[in-house]
mmCIF file of all heavy atoms in Angstrom:
data_model
loop_
_atom_site.group_PDB
_atom_site.id
_atom_site.type_symbol
_atom_site.label_atom_id
_atom_site.label_comp_id
_atom_site.label_asym_id
_atom_site.label_seq_id
_atom_site.Cartn_x
_atom_site.Cartn_y
_atom_site.Cartn_z
ATOM 1 N N ARG A 33 -3.106 12.107 -5.454
ATOM 2 C CA ARG A 33 -2.923 13.496 -5.889
ATOM 3 C C ARG A 33 -2.475 14.299 -4.684
ATOM 4 O O ARG A 33 -1.815 15.374 -4.832
ATOM 5 C CB ARG A 33 -4.271 14.073 -6.341
ATOM 6 C CG ARG A 33 -4.677 13.667 -7.707
ATOM 7 C CD ARG A 33 -5.886 14.503 -8.158
ATOM 8 N NE ARG A 33 -7.130 14.118 -7.469
ATOM 9 C CZ ARG A 33 -7.884 13.124 -7.864
ATOM 10 N NH1 ARG A 33 -7.640 12.341 -8.952
ATOM 11 N NH2 ARG A 33 -9.045 12.797 -7.184
ATOM 12 N N VAL A 34 -2.769 13.816 -3.491
ATOM 13 C CA VAL A 34 -2.342 14.460 -2.280
ATOM 14 C C VAL A 34 -1.728 13.424 -1.349
ATOM 15 O O VAL A 34 -2.224 12.280 -1.251
ATOM 16 C CB VAL A 34 -3.623 15.057 -1.647
ATOM 17 C CG1 VAL A 34 -3.364 15.461 -0.160
ATOM 18 C CG2 VAL A 34 -4.133 16.259 -2.394
ATOM 19 N N GLN A 35 -0.600 13.828 -0.721
ATOM 20 C CA GLN A 35 -0.006 12.963 0.213
ATOM 21 C C GLN A 35 -0.438 13.061 1.621
ATOM 22 O O GLN A 35 -0.883 12.190 2.259
ATOM 23 C CB GLN A 35 1.589 13.111 0.166
ATOM 24 C CG GLN A 35 2.149 12.877 -1.216
ATOM 25 C CD GLN A 35 1.836 11.534 -1.787
ATOM 26 O OE1 GLN A 35 1.828 10.517 -1.132
ATOM 27 N NE2 GLN A 35 1.322 11.549 -3.056
ATOM 28 N N THR A 36 -0.419 14.334 2.019
ATOM 29 C CA THR A 36 -0.871 14.706 3.380
ATOM 30 C C THR A 36 -1.949 15.809 3.300
ATOM 31 O O THR A 36 -1.713 16.772 2.589
ATOM 32 C CB THR A 36 0.275 15.235 4.269
ATOM 33 O OG1 THR A 36 1.322 14.246 4.267
ATOM 34 C CG2 THR A 36 -0.240 15.484 5.701
ATOM 35 N N VAL A 37 -3.070 15.521 3.867
ATOM 36 C CA VAL A 37 -4.159 16.493 3.795
ATOM 37 C C VAL A 37 -3.829 17.677 4.702
ATOM 38 O O VAL A 37 -3.501 17.500 5.896
ATOM 39 C CB VAL A 37 -5.471 15.906 4.305
ATOM 40 C CG1 VAL A 37 -6.582 16.957 4.187
ATOM 41 C CG2 VAL A 37 -5.859 14.696 3.410
ATOM 42 N N VAL A 38 -3.912 18.855 4.158
ATOM 43 C CA VAL A 38 -3.651 20.048 4.925
ATOM 44 C C VAL A 38 -4.919 20.993 4.787
ATOM 45 O O VAL A 38 -5.193 21.443 3.570
ATOM 46 C CB VAL A 38 -2.358 20.855 4.612
ATOM 47 C CG1 VAL A 38 -2.182 22.027 5.502
ATOM 48 C CG2 VAL A 38 -1.220 19.892 4.615
ATOM 49 N N THR A 39 -5.575 21.307 5.830
ATOM 50 C CA THR A 39 -6.708 22.202 5.789
ATOM 51 C C THR A 39 -6.397 23.447 6.719
ATOM 52 O O THR A 39 -5.299 23.427 7.336
ATOM 53 C CB THR A 39 -8.016 21.613 6.347
ATOM 54 O OG1 THR A 39 -7.734 21.117 7.703
ATOM 55 C CG2 THR A 39 -8.420 20.382 5.526
ATOM 56 N N ARG A 40 -7.270 24.441 6.698
ATOM 57 C CA ARG A 40 -7.006 25.555 7.624
ATOM 58 C C ARG A 40 -8.294 26.134 8.010
ATOM 59 O O ARG A 40 -9.336 26.017 7.296
ATOM 60 C CB ARG A 40 -6.128 26.642 6.927
ATOM 61 C CG ARG A 40 -6.879 27.628 6.061
ATOM 62 C CD ARG A 40 -7.334 27.043 4.760
ATOM 63 N NE ARG A 40 -8.272 27.841 4.053
ATOM 64 C CZ ARG A 40 -9.556 27.785 4.255
ATOM 65 N NH1 ARG A 40 -10.187 26.865 5.023
ATOM 66 N NH2 ARG A 40 -10.330 28.657 3.562
ATOM 67 N N PHE A 41 -8.343 26.716 9.217
ATOM 68 C CA PHE A 41 -9.468 27.494 9.693
ATOM 69 C C PHE A 41 -9.035 28.889 9.686
ATOM 70 O O PHE A 41 -8.057 29.220 10.493
ATOM 71 C CB PHE A 41 -9.945 27.023 11.075
ATOM 72 C CG PHE A 41 -11.007 27.876 11.679
ATOM 73 C CD1 PHE A 41 -12.235 27.971 11.037
ATOM 74 C CD2 PHE A 41 -10.789 28.610 12.819
ATOM 75 C CE1 PHE A 41 -13.214 28.840 11.550
ATOM 76 C CE2 PHE A 41 -11.752 29.469 13.320
ATOM 77 C CZ PHE A 41 -12.946 29.606 12.672
ATOM 78 N N PRO A 42 -9.633 29.755 8.869
ATOM 79 C CA PRO A 42 -9.085 31.137 8.630
ATOM 80 C C PRO A 42 -9.921 32.301 9.127
ATOM 81 O O PRO A 42 -10.362 33.065 8.351
ATOM 82 C CB PRO A 42 -9.036 31.112 7.127
ATOM 83 C CG PRO A 42 -10.332 30.411 6.721
ATOM 84 C CD PRO A 42 -10.621 29.430 7.817
ATOM 85 N N PRO A 43 -10.126 32.450 10.399
ATOM 86 C CA PRO A 43 -10.906 33.599 10.878
ATOM 87 C C PRO A 43 -10.243 34.912 10.605
ATOM 88 O O PRO A 43 -9.074 35.038 10.729
ATOM 89 C CB PRO A 43 -11.073 33.353 12.440
ATOM 90 C CG PRO A 43 -9.854 32.556 12.774
ATOM 91 C CD PRO A 43 -9.590 31.653 11.563
ATOM 92 N N GLU A 44 -11.078 35.905 10.297
ATOM 93 C CA GLU A 44 -10.604 37.273 10.292
ATOM 94 C C GLU A 44 -10.759 37.781 11.736
ATOM 95 O O GLU A 44 -11.899 37.661 12.301
ATOM 96 C CB GLU A 44 -11.461 38.088 9.324
ATOM 97 C CG GLU A 44 -10.890 39.506 9.180
ATOM 98 C CD GLU A 44 -11.754 40.356 8.257
ATOM 99 O OE1 GLU A 44 -12.628 39.955 7.562
ATOM 100 O OE2 GLU A 44 -11.367 41.618 8.232
ATOM 101 N N PRO A 45 -9.712 38.368 12.321
ATOM 102 C CA PRO A 45 -9.771 38.815 13.715
ATOM 103 C C PRO A 45 -10.541 40.131 13.854
ATOM 104 O O PRO A 45 -10.050 41.103 14.401
ATOM 105 C CB PRO A 45 -8.350 38.905 14.183
ATOM 106 C CG PRO A 45 -7.577 39.121 12.950
ATOM 107 C CD PRO A 45 -8.362 38.500 11.833
ATOM 108 N N ASN A 46 -11.806 40.156 13.338
ATOM 109 C CA ASN A 46 -12.593 41.387 13.450
ATOM 110 C C ASN A 46 -13.858 41.169 14.268
ATOM 111 O O ASN A 46 -14.847 41.921 14.083
ATOM 112 C CB ASN A 46 -12.962 41.905 12.032
ATOM 113 C CG ASN A 46 -13.810 40.855 11.242
ATOM 114 O OD1 ASN A 46 -13.887 39.713 11.669
ATOM 115 N ND2 ASN A 46 -14.358 41.207 10.111
ATOM 116 N N GLY A 47 -13.858 40.132 15.074
ATOM 117 C CA GLY A 47 -15.002 39.811 15.925
ATOM 118 C C GLY A 47 -14.726 38.475 16.610
ATOM 119 O O GLY A 47 -13.714 37.889 16.440
ATOM 120 N N HIS A 48 -15.718 38.075 17.431
ATOM 121 C CA HIS A 48 -15.563 36.862 18.209
ATOM 122 C C HIS A 48 -16.220 35.706 17.405
ATOM 123 O O HIS A 48 -17.057 35.906 16.595
ATOM 124 C CB HIS A 48 -16.190 36.987 19.553
ATOM 125 C CG HIS A 48 -15.531 37.917 20.439
ATOM 126 N ND1 HIS A 48 -14.606 37.517 21.397
ATOM 127 C CD2 HIS A 48 -15.628 39.262 20.605
ATOM 128 C CE1 HIS A 48 -14.142 38.584 22.046
ATOM 129 N NE2 HIS A 48 -14.745 39.720 21.556
ATOM 130 N N LEU A 49 -15.706 34.520 17.667
ATOM 131 C CA LEU A 49 -16.242 33.305 16.952
ATOM 132 C C LEU A 49 -17.665 33.028 17.381
ATOM 133 O O LEU A 49 -18.088 33.226 18.555
ATOM 134 C CB LEU A 49 -15.322 32.152 17.182
ATOM 135 C CG LEU A 49 -13.921 32.241 16.623
ATOM 136 C CD1 LEU A 49 -13.168 30.979 16.860
ATOM 137 C CD2 LEU A 49 -13.909 32.628 15.183
ATOM 138 N N HIS A 50 -18.489 32.462 16.441
ATOM 139 C CA HIS A 50 -19.836 32.046 16.759
ATOM 140 C C HIS A 50 -20.037 30.589 16.401
ATOM 141 O O HIS A 50 -19.160 29.984 15.862
ATOM 142 C CB HIS A 50 -20.878 32.983 16.169
ATOM 143 C CG HIS A 50 -20.709 33.201 14.681
ATOM 144 N ND1 HIS A 50 -20.826 32.171 13.800
ATOM 145 C CD2 HIS A 50 -20.422 34.267 13.909
ATOM 146 C CE1 HIS A 50 -20.700 32.629 12.553
ATOM 147 N NE2 HIS A 50 -20.407 33.988 12.597
ATOM 148 N N ILE A 51 -21.207 30.180 16.606
ATOM 149 C CA ILE A 51 -21.465 28.683 16.437
ATOM 150 C C ILE A 51 -21.363 28.258 14.914
ATOM 151 O O ILE A 51 -21.020 27.122 14.634
ATOM 152 C CB ILE A 51 -22.749 28.254 16.974
ATOM 153 C CG1 ILE A 51 -22.879 26.699 17.070
ATOM 154 C CG2 ILE A 51 -23.983 28.899 16.291
ATOM 155 C CD1 ILE A 51 -23.874 26.155 18.018
ATOM 156 N N GLY A 52 -21.470 29.232 13.966
ATOM 157 C CA GLY A 52 -21.224 28.930 12.588
ATOM 158 C C GLY A 52 -19.779 28.528 12.398
ATOM 159 O O GLY A 52 -19.458 27.700 11.627
ATOM 160 N N HIS A 53 -18.936 29.352 13.045
ATOM 161 C CA HIS A 53 -17.476 29.011 12.968
ATOM 162 C C HIS A 53 -17.243 27.572 13.467
ATOM 163 O O HIS A 53 -16.228 26.952 12.990
ATOM 164 C CB HIS A 53 -16.690 30.064 13.691
ATOM 165 C CG HIS A 53 -16.690 31.438 13.121
ATOM 166 N ND1 HIS A 53 -17.296 32.446 13.714
ATOM 167 C CD2 HIS A 53 -16.292 31.933 11.866
ATOM 168 C CE1 HIS A 53 -17.192 33.559 12.910
ATOM 169 N NE2 HIS A 53 -16.582 33.213 11.783
ATOM 170 N N ALA A 54 -17.943 27.185 14.428
ATOM 171 C CA ALA A 54 -17.724 25.823 15.036
ATOM 172 C C ALA A 54 -18.037 24.770 13.909
ATOM 173 O O ALA A 54 -17.349 23.759 13.881
ATOM 174 C CB ALA A 54 -18.672 25.565 16.192
ATOM 175 N N LYS A 55 -18.978 25.043 13.060
ATOM 176 C CA LYS A 55 -19.191 24.133 11.938
ATOM 177 C C LYS A 55 -17.990 24.057 10.973
ATOM 178 O O LYS A 55 -17.602 22.967 10.603
ATOM 179 C CB LYS A 55 -20.463 24.590 11.118
ATOM 180 C CG LYS A 55 -20.732 23.728 9.946
ATOM 181 C CD LYS A 55 -21.988 24.139 9.174
ATOM 182 C CE LYS A 55 -22.278 23.193 7.980
ATOM 183 N NZ LYS A 55 -23.503 23.534 7.252
ATOM 184 N N SER A 56 -17.438 25.188 10.662
ATOM 185 C CA SER A 56 -16.232 25.328 9.799
ATOM 186 C C SER A 56 -15.113 24.554 10.528
ATOM 187 O O SER A 56 -14.338 23.817 9.883
ATOM 188 C CB SER A 56 -15.954 26.731 9.560
ATOM 189 O OG SER A 56 -14.707 26.883 8.858
ATOM 190 N N MET A 57 -14.881 24.834 11.818
ATOM 191 C CA MET A 57 -13.784 24.175 12.499
ATOM 192 C C MET A 57 -13.972 22.696 12.563
ATOM 193 O O MET A 57 -12.988 21.950 12.400
ATOM 194 C CB MET A 57 -13.750 24.731 13.936
ATOM 195 C CG MET A 57 -13.042 25.985 14.063
ATOM 196 S SD MET A 57 -13.036 26.416 15.884
ATOM 197 C CE MET A 57 -14.261 27.668 15.958
ATOM 198 N N SER A 58 -15.188 22.316 12.811
ATOM 199 C CA SER A 58 -15.472 20.850 12.855
ATOM 200 C C SER A 58 -15.096 20.131 11.593
ATOM 201 O O SER A 58 -14.480 19.024 11.572
ATOM 202 C CB SER A 58 -16.963 20.675 13.233
ATOM 203 O OG SER A 58 -17.344 19.333 12.961
ATOM 204 N N LEU A 59 -15.395 20.850 10.455
ATOM 205 C CA LEU A 59 -15.129 20.247 9.173
ATOM 206 C C LEU A 59 -13.604 20.245 8.890
ATOM 207 O O LEU A 59 -12.993 19.241 8.572
ATOM 208 C CB LEU A 59 -15.807 21.118 8.129
ATOM 209 C CG LEU A 59 -15.741 20.649 6.668
ATOM 210 C CD1 LEU A 59 -16.295 19.202 6.522
ATOM 211 C CD2 LEU A 59 -16.467 21.626 5.722
ATOM 212 N N ASN A 60 -12.877 21.381 9.112
ATOM 213 C CA ASN A 60 -11.470 21.503 8.871
ATOM 214 C C ASN A 60 -10.617 20.698 9.823
ATOM 215 O O ASN A 60 -9.766 19.969 9.302
ATOM 216 C CB ASN A 60 -11.088 22.973 8.840
ATOM 217 C CG ASN A 60 -11.486 23.758 7.599
ATOM 218 O OD1 ASN A 60 -10.947 23.424 6.474
ATOM 219 N ND2 ASN A 60 -12.396 24.699 7.676
#
Side-chain angles (χ1 to χ4, degrees):
R33 283 189 290 273
V34 166
Q35 301 308 313
T36 304
V37 178
V38 183
T39 57
R40 84 287 168 268
F41 172 63
E44 186 182 350
N46 61 350
H48 293 265
L49 297 184
H50 55 62
I51 193 162
H53 294 113
K55 178 177 181 181
S56 172
M57 277 183 257
S58 164
L59 185 59
N60 281 297

